[in-house]
């Protein structure tokens, strides 16, 4: 028998991302693990879920833009640091080598192999969180993280976040090819069907 442990969100691991915004004219980043993919054909919408009154949220409201950057596992100390101190108290604009893209106000991080810039599409106001839905405008990828023009996970080495253990994890081995492995699946016949 499985144990009912109550309404415990168990969708982890999630990629641990760094979300950037310009707040009061200054770049600010925070760690965000609660992200989502809403519409993966154009226009592509991604979400970031920020607890209400986060300093970074002010910047997203001010500029209507933000970024989602993927730190590589070797960046764990800085990636965690921006997740435990607030830009309201500490200047986080110089921790990373910052650059800007098409939107000009969504700060991105050179040290991150993958950076996406987004235009604010909608804000979903929930009891404890604001969910920012952003339209993906451009993705900036370091050449060493690309393989034949595609993002290569093995090279990105993303940081994964697990709520239950409270630890960062890293990727394991690839398992099987998507959209192909199922072709080898053999449905098991029940005794009745077999008769
Ligand atoms: C691994 C990790 C994941 C986090 N995920 C979220 C999240 O999904 N939503 C959120 O509001 N805060 C999250 N936080 C907390 C914020 O990153 C943290 O409160 C940060 O200091 C806020 O920065 P700011 O005040 O400069 O906006 C996370 C922190 C860590 C370390």
């Amino acid at each position: 028998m499985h144990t009912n442990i109550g309404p415990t969100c168990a969708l982890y691991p999630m990629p641990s991302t760094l979300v950037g915004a310009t707040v009061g004219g200054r770049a600010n980043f925070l760690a965000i693990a609660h992200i989502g993919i809403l519409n993966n054909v154009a226009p592509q919408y991604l979400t970031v879920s920020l607890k209400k009154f986060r300093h970074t949220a002010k910047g997203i409201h001010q500029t209507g833009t933000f970024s989602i950057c993927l730190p590589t596992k070797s960046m764990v100390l800085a990636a965690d640091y921006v997740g435990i101190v607030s830009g309201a108290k500490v200047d986080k604009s110089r921790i990373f080598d910052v650059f800007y893209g098409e939107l000009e106000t969504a700060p991105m991080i050179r040290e991150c192999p993958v950076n996406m810039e987004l235009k604010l599409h909608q804000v979903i106001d929930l009891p404890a969180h604001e969910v920012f839905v952003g339209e993906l405008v451009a993705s900036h990828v370091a050449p060493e993280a690309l393989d034949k023009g595609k993002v290569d996970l093995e090279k990105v080495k993303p940081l994964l976040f697990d709520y239950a253990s409270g630890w960062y994890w890293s990727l394991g081995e690839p398992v099987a090819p998507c959209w192909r492995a199922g072709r080898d699946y053999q449905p098991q016949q029940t005794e009745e069907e077999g008769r």
Side-chain angles (χ1 to χ4, degrees):
M1 281 284 281
H2 286 58
T3 305
N4 180 349
I5 59 167
T8 303
C9 173
L11 283 178
Y12 301 95
M14 295 290 288
S16 193
T17 71
L18 302 178
V19 167
T22 301
V23 192
R26 194 160 80 185
N28 194 66
F29 297 94
L30 85 170
I32 292 289
H34 296 148
I35 56 165
I37 303 169
L38 289 195
N39 208 49
N40 79 338
V41 291
Q44 297 184 65
Y45 295 126
L46 308 184
T47 61
V48 296
S49 185
L50 270 66
K51 206 167 166 196
K52 281 196 175 161
F53 312 116
R54 289 270 186 251
H55 186 67
T56 312
K58 286 187 198 150
I60 304 178
H61 284 294
Q62 282 165 7
T63 66
T65 65
F66 61 98
S67 67
I68 304 177
C69 315
L70 301 187
T72 194
K73 69 176 186 180
S74 63
M75 293 171 66
V76 66
L77 300 189
D80 192 61
Y81 177 73
V82 299
I84 52 180
V85 300
S86 174
K89 292 196 175 139
V90 174
D91 179 2
K92 294 192 266 183
S93 67
R94 290 164 199 275
I95 294 169
F96 305 110
D97 185 2
V98 174
F99 73 100
Y100 294 86
E102 290 178 28
L103 296 173
E104 297 177 355
T105 48
M108 292 176 281
I109 300 173
R110 279 205 202 284
E111 296 90 323
C112 286
V114 177
N115 296 267
M116 290 162 275
E117 46 176 336
L118 300 102
K119 195 163 63 180
L120 184 60
H121 171 72
Q122 187 182 344
V123 184
I124 303 170
D125 190 19
L126 297 178
H129 286 76
E130 280 184 304
V131 181
F132 295 94
V133 182
E135 181 181 340
L136 183 57
V137 168
S139 303
H140 304 264
V141 183
E144 58 274 16
L146 281 174
D147 184 27
K148 299 184 193 88
K150 289 190 176 174
V151 176
D152 184 335
L153 264 192
E154 222 167 317
K155 293 170 179 159
V156 172
K157 297 186 172 45
L159 258 189
L160 307 178
F161 168 73
D162 173 41
Y163 197 85
S165 61
W167 274 76
Y168 294 103
W169 292 65
S170 63
L171 274 187
E173 299 299 312
V175 175
C178 302
W179 303 292
R180 287 222 315 270
R183 292 181 203 162
D184 294 333
Y185 176 71
Q186 301 200 328
Q188 301 212 331
Q189 283 188 333
T190 62
E191 254 180 55
E192 218 164 87
E193 283 168 343
R195 265 187 236 129

